Amino acid sequence: MIAPIRKLPTNAFGKDYVVGDLHGCFDLLQRLLNDIQFDINHDRLFSVGDLIDRGPDSLKCLELVNEPWFYAVRGNHEIIALDFFESYLMTGRLESLQDINYTGFLEYGGEWVDQYFLAAEQRMTPEFDRGLSMIGTLPLILVVGDGEKRFHIIHAELSSKGQKTSESPVWLNTEVDVWLDENRVPPRVEDRLIWSRTLMSSQYVKQPNSRLQSGLSPTFCGHTYESRPRQALSHICIDTGAFASIESADDIDTDFGLTVFDVKASSWISASYCREHFVRGKLSLNNQRIALTKRKN
Ligand SMILES: [Mn+2]
């Protein structure tokens, strides 16, 4: 089993960016990387997971995991795909692309795998197999840097609602550090980490004084989409519905797209299938740095 939580050093040579749920929208990412003049030799791109399903090019998004400048965590779509292919991963044989154990995979955007199914040979293509094996290498949490420069990458939420062991509505750095030391993420945490929408659907999102949580470093996440990035209790949700922009072209009330966030500048840029121009914005992540307890190392 691969490490469920991984620590990376601060990027001393270039910039760090975070991208929202890609869902196969590889071409939107290319547009954004061109615009920000992403430097593959010095910059890093972090993904909040959900690389696959729904959009036009899931496998290309998955193959980004091979790039030395790209770091992703597992989203619920990656987990559903692993469940769907569980017996294929063990036996190397697949009789049909039916959802025998009902994982929900095909219904929720997984039908793209059909093009890689070799029915006569009862298996998937080698390129697909390579992509599938990459999903298994993705951690659940990335902890990047130390002290004031520290930030986290997760898929959904560090929500601790209903957990007696937590005194705040979200888990803090002190708890994340314990998981890091023990190299495990407790099951009660993992489920929320991947699936929760509690925080992003709560009143915290609407209250300007609830943007930051003392003791929790900026925590980038996705999973729940709105047309703009949002902040709640140090969570910065940058899922702005990349795949939904394919279908919203005729709807003037929606403005979905793919967002890339520049961590140091606290600014974001979004590209969409339903408009030519980019949308840009800025968030404030800084106040909390004063409140963060310093780590000794
Ligand atoms: Mn998701």
mmCIF file of all heavy atoms in Angstrom, residues 120-147:
data_model
loop_
_atom_site.group_PDB
_atom_site.id
_atom_site.type_symbol
_atom_site.label_atom_id
_atom_site.label_comp_id
_atom_site.label_asym_id
_atom_site.label_seq_id
_atom_site.Cartn_x
_atom_site.Cartn_y
_atom_site.Cartn_z
ATOM 1 N N ALA A 120 -12.438 -8.855 -27.421
ATOM 2 C CA ALA A 120 -11.992 -10.170 -27.889
ATOM 3 C C ALA A 120 -10.924 -10.766 -26.970
ATOM 4 O O ALA A 120 -10.870 -11.977 -26.762
ATOM 5 C CB ALA A 120 -11.451 -10.058 -29.314
ATOM 6 N N GLU A 121 -10.109 -9.891 -26.415
ATOM 7 C CA GLU A 121 -9.024 -10.375 -25.534
ATOM 8 C C GLU A 121 -9.407 -10.356 -24.053
ATOM 9 O O GLU A 121 -8.610 -10.720 -23.189
ATOM 10 C CB GLU A 121 -7.764 -9.531 -25.756
ATOM 11 C CG GLU A 121 -7.234 -9.610 -27.181
ATOM 12 C CD GLU A 121 -6.078 -8.641 -27.409
ATOM 13 O OE1 GLU A 121 -5.194 -8.574 -26.547
ATOM 14 O OE2 GLU A 121 -6.107 -7.947 -28.437
ATOM 15 N N GLN A 122 -10.609 -9.871 -23.790
ATOM 16 C CA GLN A 122 -11.114 -9.786 -22.412
ATOM 17 C C GLN A 122 -10.153 -9.046 -21.478
ATOM 18 O O GLN A 122 -9.843 -9.496 -20.374
ATOM 19 C CB GLN A 122 -11.418 -11.180 -21.857
ATOM 20 C CG GLN A 122 -12.527 -11.866 -22.635
ATOM 21 C CD GLN A 122 -13.082 -13.079 -21.919
ATOM 22 O OE1 GLN A 122 -12.450 -13.654 -21.051
ATOM 23 N NE2 GLN A 122 -14.281 -13.467 -22.288
ATOM 24 N N ARG A 123 -9.681 -7.926 -21.968
ATOM 25 C CA ARG A 123 -8.859 -7.072 -21.097
ATOM 26 C C ARG A 123 -8.890 -5.639 -21.611
ATOM 27 O O ARG A 123 -9.484 -5.359 -22.659
ATOM 28 C CB ARG A 123 -7.417 -7.587 -21.026
ATOM 29 C CG ARG A 123 -6.685 -7.574 -22.357
ATOM 30 C CD ARG A 123 -5.225 -7.992 -22.136
ATOM 31 N NE ARG A 123 -4.490 -7.976 -23.384
ATOM 32 C CZ ARG A 123 -3.883 -6.900 -23.895
ATOM 33 N NH1 ARG A 123 -3.966 -5.737 -23.286
ATOM 34 N NH2 ARG A 123 -3.233 -6.985 -25.034
ATOM 35 N N MET A 124 -8.239 -4.737 -20.886
ATOM 36 C CA MET A 124 -8.137 -3.344 -21.289
ATOM 37 C C MET A 124 -6.821 -3.155 -22.047
ATOM 38 O O MET A 124 -5.933 -4.004 -21.987
ATOM 39 C CB MET A 124 -8.166 -2.414 -20.052
ATOM 40 C CG MET A 124 -9.360 -2.581 -19.132
ATOM 41 S SD MET A 124 -10.946 -2.211 -19.915
ATOM 42 C CE MET A 124 -10.848 -0.414 -20.067
ATOM 43 N N THR A 125 -6.686 -2.039 -22.758
ATOM 44 C CA THR A 125 -5.450 -1.802 -23.512
ATOM 45 C C THR A 125 -4.281 -1.552 -22.541
ATOM 46 O O THR A 125 -4.495 -1.110 -21.411
ATOM 47 C CB THR A 125 -5.575 -0.565 -24.429
ATOM 48 O OG1 THR A 125 -5.680 0.605 -23.593
ATOM 49 C CG2 THR A 125 -6.790 -0.647 -25.345
ATOM 50 N N PRO A 126 -3.042 -1.787 -23.001
ATOM 51 C CA PRO A 126 -1.883 -1.539 -22.122
ATOM 52 C C PRO A 126 -1.802 -0.091 -21.648
ATOM 53 O O PRO A 126 -1.444 0.159 -20.495
ATOM 54 C CB PRO A 126 -0.688 -1.882 -23.023
ATOM 55 C CG PRO A 126 -1.231 -2.841 -24.034
ATOM 56 C CD PRO A 126 -2.651 -2.407 -24.280
ATOM 57 N N GLU A 127 -2.158 0.872 -22.509
ATOM 58 C CA GLU A 127 -2.100 2.277 -22.076
ATOM 59 C C GLU A 127 -3.100 2.547 -20.951
ATOM 60 O O GLU A 127 -2.806 3.282 -20.011
ATOM 61 C CB GLU A 127 -2.325 3.252 -23.247
ATOM 62 C CG GLU A 127 -3.652 3.073 -23.938
ATOM 63 C CD GLU A 127 -3.969 4.147 -24.993
ATOM 64 O OE1 GLU A 127 -3.360 5.240 -24.976
ATOM 65 O OE2 GLU A 127 -4.841 3.872 -25.832
ATOM 66 N N PHE A 128 -4.269 1.921 -21.040
ATOM 67 C CA PHE A 128 -5.246 2.076 -19.967
ATOM 68 C C PHE A 128 -4.728 1.438 -18.672
ATOM 69 O O PHE A 128 -4.852 2.016 -17.585
ATOM 70 C CB PHE A 128 -6.599 1.457 -20.341
ATOM 71 C CG PHE A 128 -7.634 1.638 -19.263
ATOM 72 C CD1 PHE A 128 -8.411 2.781 -19.202
ATOM 73 C CD2 PHE A 128 -7.796 0.668 -18.269
ATOM 74 C CE1 PHE A 128 -9.328 2.971 -18.184
ATOM 75 C CE2 PHE A 128 -8.715 0.854 -17.245
ATOM 76 C CZ PHE A 128 -9.485 1.998 -17.211
ATOM 77 N N ASP A 129 -4.144 0.246 -18.812
ATOM 78 C CA ASP A 129 -3.602 -0.454 -17.630
ATOM 79 C C ASP A 129 -2.572 0.403 -16.909
ATOM 80 O O ASP A 129 -2.532 0.437 -15.682
ATOM 81 C CB ASP A 129 -2.945 -1.783 -18.047
ATOM 82 C CG ASP A 129 -3.989 -2.838 -18.396
ATOM 83 O OD1 ASP A 129 -5.171 -2.620 -18.087
ATOM 84 O OD2 ASP A 129 -3.593 -3.868 -18.975
ATOM 85 N N ARG A 130 -1.741 1.083 -17.697
ATOM 86 C CA ARG A 130 -0.719 1.947 -17.077
ATOM 87 C C ARG A 130 -1.381 3.088 -16.305
ATOM 88 O O ARG A 130 -0.973 3.426 -15.200
ATOM 89 C CB ARG A 130 0.243 2.495 -18.139
ATOM 90 C CG ARG A 130 1.322 1.493 -18.548
ATOM 91 C CD ARG A 130 2.429 2.175 -19.348
ATOM 92 N NE ARG A 130 1.961 2.653 -20.649
ATOM 93 C CZ ARG A 130 1.910 1.905 -21.754
ATOM 94 N NH1 ARG A 130 2.303 0.643 -21.701
ATOM 95 N NH2 ARG A 130 1.477 2.405 -22.886
ATOM 96 N N GLY A 131 -2.415 3.674 -16.907
ATOM 97 C CA GLY A 131 -3.150 4.753 -16.238
ATOM 98 C C GLY A 131 -3.812 4.277 -14.956
ATOM 99 O O GLY A 131 -3.722 4.921 -13.917
ATOM 100 N N LEU A 132 -4.434 3.103 -15.033
ATOM 101 C CA LEU A 132 -5.135 2.534 -13.874
ATOM 102 C C LEU A 132 -4.154 2.269 -12.731
ATOM 103 O O LEU A 132 -4.448 2.541 -11.566
ATOM 104 C CB LEU A 132 -5.837 1.242 -14.295
ATOM 105 C CG LEU A 132 -6.787 0.588 -13.297
ATOM 106 C CD1 LEU A 132 -7.944 1.525 -12.950
ATOM 107 C CD2 LEU A 132 -7.318 -0.729 -13.846
ATOM 108 N N SER A 133 -2.978 1.777 -13.084
ATOM 109 C CA SER A 133 -1.999 1.477 -12.026
ATOM 110 C C SER A 133 -1.507 2.766 -11.363
ATOM 111 O O SER A 133 -1.112 2.761 -10.198
ATOM 112 C CB SER A 133 -0.824 0.673 -12.578
ATOM 113 O OG SER A 133 -0.074 1.474 -13.468
ATOM 114 N N MET A 134 -1.568 3.873 -12.081
ATOM 115 C CA MET A 134 -1.147 5.149 -11.497
ATOM 116 C C MET A 134 -2.106 5.622 -10.419
ATOM 117 O O MET A 134 -1.709 6.287 -9.466
ATOM 118 C CB MET A 134 -1.073 6.223 -12.572
ATOM 119 C CG MET A 134 0.255 6.245 -13.284
ATOM 120 S SD MET A 134 0.117 7.359 -14.667
ATOM 121 C CE MET A 134 0.646 6.291 -15.972
ATOM 122 N N ILE A 135 -3.398 5.286 -10.565
ATOM 123 C CA ILE A 135 -4.379 5.693 -9.552
ATOM 124 C C ILE A 135 -3.975 5.146 -8.192
ATOM 125 O O ILE A 135 -4.072 5.828 -7.177
ATOM 126 C CB ILE A 135 -5.803 5.198 -9.914
ATOM 127 C CG1 ILE A 135 -6.287 5.861 -11.197
ATOM 128 C CG2 ILE A 135 -6.769 5.483 -8.764
ATOM 129 C CD1 ILE A 135 -7.685 5.427 -11.609
ATOM 130 N N GLY A 136 -3.472 3.916 -8.210
ATOM 131 C CA GLY A 136 -3.083 3.268 -6.960
ATOM 132 C C GLY A 136 -1.926 3.951 -6.245
ATOM 133 O O GLY A 136 -1.695 3.709 -5.065
ATOM 134 N N THR A 137 -1.205 4.804 -6.941
ATOM 135 C CA THR A 137 -0.051 5.466 -6.314
ATOM 136 C C THR A 137 -0.431 6.796 -5.658
ATOM 137 O O THR A 137 0.398 7.415 -4.999
ATOM 138 C CB THR A 137 1.051 5.767 -7.355
ATOM 139 O OG1 THR A 137 0.583 6.793 -8.256
ATOM 140 C CG2 THR A 137 1.426 4.528 -8.152
ATOM 141 N N LEU A 138 -1.668 7.241 -5.849
ATOM 142 C CA LEU A 138 -2.045 8.572 -5.358
ATOM 143 C C LEU A 138 -2.329 8.573 -3.854
ATOM 144 O O LEU A 138 -3.084 7.737 -3.360
ATOM 145 C CB LEU A 138 -3.291 9.086 -6.098
ATOM 146 C CG LEU A 138 -3.167 9.219 -7.617
ATOM 147 C CD1 LEU A 138 -4.521 9.623 -8.217
ATOM 148 C CD2 LEU A 138 -2.100 10.240 -7.979
ATOM 149 N N PRO A 139 -1.740 9.514 -3.114
ATOM 150 C CA PRO A 139 -2.035 9.614 -1.681
ATOM 151 C C PRO A 139 -3.380 10.302 -1.442
ATOM 152 O O PRO A 139 -4.009 10.800 -2.386
ATOM 153 C CB PRO A 139 -0.889 10.483 -1.152
ATOM 154 C CG PRO A 139 -0.540 11.362 -2.308
ATOM 155 C CD PRO A 139 -0.790 10.546 -3.555
ATOM 156 N N LEU A 140 -3.819 10.360 -0.192
ATOM 157 C CA LEU A 140 -5.066 11.037 0.166
ATOM 158 C C LEU A 140 -4.821 12.480 0.592
ATOM 159 O O LEU A 140 -5.679 13.334 0.434
ATOM 160 C CB LEU A 140 -5.755 10.298 1.325
ATOM 161 C CG LEU A 140 -6.113 8.844 1.065
ATOM 162 C CD1 LEU A 140 -6.557 8.172 2.359
ATOM 163 C CD2 LEU A 140 -7.213 8.747 0.019
ATOM 164 N N ILE A 141 -3.645 12.719 1.159
ATOM 165 C CA ILE A 141 -3.300 14.073 1.629
ATOM 166 C C ILE A 141 -1.866 14.392 1.233
ATOM 167 O O ILE A 141 -0.982 13.542 1.363
ATOM 168 C CB ILE A 141 -3.385 14.185 3.170
ATOM 169 C CG1 ILE A 141 -4.745 13.719 3.695
ATOM 170 C CG2 ILE A 141 -3.093 15.620 3.633
ATOM 171 C CD1 ILE A 141 -4.865 13.767 5.220
ATOM 172 N N LEU A 142 -1.651 15.599 0.741
ATOM 173 C CA LEU A 142 -0.294 16.104 0.525
ATOM 174 C C LEU A 142 -0.073 17.267 1.491
ATOM 175 O O LEU A 142 -0.899 18.176 1.581
ATOM 176 C CB LEU A 142 -0.128 16.598 -0.916
ATOM 177 C CG LEU A 142 0.021 15.544 -2.007
ATOM 178 C CD1 LEU A 142 -0.169 16.162 -3.391
ATOM 179 C CD2 LEU A 142 1.399 14.876 -1.922
ATOM 180 N N VAL A 143 1.029 17.205 2.224
ATOM 181 C CA VAL A 143 1.426 18.300 3.111
ATOM 182 C C VAL A 143 2.657 18.931 2.476
ATOM 183 O O VAL A 143 3.665 18.262 2.267
ATOM 184 C CB VAL A 143 1.764 17.774 4.527
ATOM 185 C CG1 VAL A 143 2.205 18.923 5.437
ATOM 186 C CG2 VAL A 143 0.568 17.039 5.126
ATOM 187 N N VAL A 144 2.555 20.211 2.127
ATOM 188 C CA VAL A 144 3.642 20.859 1.390
ATOM 189 C C VAL A 144 4.261 21.972 2.235
ATOM 190 O O VAL A 144 3.558 22.876 2.687
ATOM 191 C CB VAL A 144 3.134 21.449 0.056
ATOM 192 C CG1 VAL A 144 4.315 21.957 -0.777
ATOM 193 C CG2 VAL A 144 2.329 20.416 -0.730
ATOM 194 N N GLY A 145 5.561 21.897 2.453
ATOM 195 C CA GLY A 145 6.289 22.971 3.143
ATOM 196 C C GLY A 145 6.063 22.991 4.643
ATOM 197 O O GLY A 145 5.305 22.177 5.189
ATOM 198 N N ASP A 146 6.705 23.949 5.296
ATOM 199 C CA ASP A 146 6.631 24.074 6.757
ATOM 200 C C ASP A 146 6.262 25.495 7.163
ATOM 201 O O ASP A 146 6.397 26.428 6.377
ATOM 202 C CB ASP A 146 8.000 23.750 7.372
ATOM 203 C CG ASP A 146 8.350 22.291 7.211
ATOM 204 O OD1 ASP A 146 7.694 21.462 7.846
ATOM 205 O OD2 ASP A 146 9.271 21.990 6.417
ATOM 206 N N GLY A 147 5.844 25.635 8.413
ATOM 207 C CA GLY A 147 5.601 26.949 9.011
ATOM 208 C C GLY A 147 4.624 27.790 8.215
ATOM 209 O O GLY A 147 3.563 27.312 7.817
#
